[in-house]
Amino acid sequence: MAPLTILRYPDPGLSKPCQPITVFDAALETFAQDLLATMRAARGVGITAAHVGVHIRLVVLELSAKDGPRFYANPVILSFGEQPMRYTEGSVSMPGATEEVERPAMIRFRYQRLDGTHAEEDATGFYSVCMQHEIDQLDGVFWLKRLSRLKRDRLVRKWEKGR
């Protein structure tokens, strides 16, 4: 497992939608493990292939050491719960920058495992927030787009000064 280079905001690659994965093979497994190593090196809890400039629909999450890493190919949100929640978000592509974002507290989503088998899950709380954040990234929606223009501009200025 070798860490990859993470794109930094405002790289245009972070706004590019990702293509579905069609081949589930050893190369995908190797890439997924490299993505996991990259996420861990960046001290993140989630990363997508888009964060390293590979525009395929692959998400890696590791929300706790106890649960270990999980890999999601071609994730799609099927439904959203009605109850909102606010959570502080950030990105491996914009280290040190965080802001509170409001999202639905529950989602149902479909994905494929690295072997290509299909699955559906419900996600609540932090898990829900993370999946929505990463699926946004796969769709070319960097998390800053979920902020008001005022908050976004203020956060970008502060982040640029601190780089």
Side-chain angles (χ1 to χ4, degrees), residues 65-108:
K66 181 185 90 157
D67 294 334
R70 303 229 11 225
F71 303 91
Y72 306 89
N74 302 323
V76 175
I77 297 173
L78 301 173
S79 63
F80 296 93
E82 292 182 25
Q83 185 73 15
M85 74 177 283
R86 297 185 74 70
Y87 202 86
T88 300
E89 297 186 26
S91 174
V92 295
S93 291
M94 202 175 182
T98 60
E99 185 58 71
E100 199 171 75
V101 178
E102 184 173 295
R103 296 181 185 270
M106 194 282 286
I107 61 167
R108 178 145 190 91

Side-chain angles (χ1 to χ4, degrees), residues 23-86:
V23 177
F24 296 84
D25 59 6
L28 178 62
E29 176 68 39
T30 298
F31 176 66
Q33 292 300 322
D34 289 344
L35 204 52
L36 172 62
T38 304
M39 181 189 74
R40 286 176 172 166
R43 301 181 142 201
V45 297
I47 195 168
T48 69
H51 284 110
V52 298
V54 178
H55 292 93
I56 60 172
R57 294 187 69 82
L58 181 63
V59 171
V60 179
L61 291 181
E62 189 170 33
L63 304 183
S64 74
K66 181 185 90 157
D67 294 334
R70 303 229 11 225
F71 303 91
Y72 306 89
N74 302 323
V76 175
I77 297 173
L78 301 173
S79 63
F80 296 93
E82 292 182 25
Q83 185 73 15
M85 74 177 283
R86 297 185 74 70

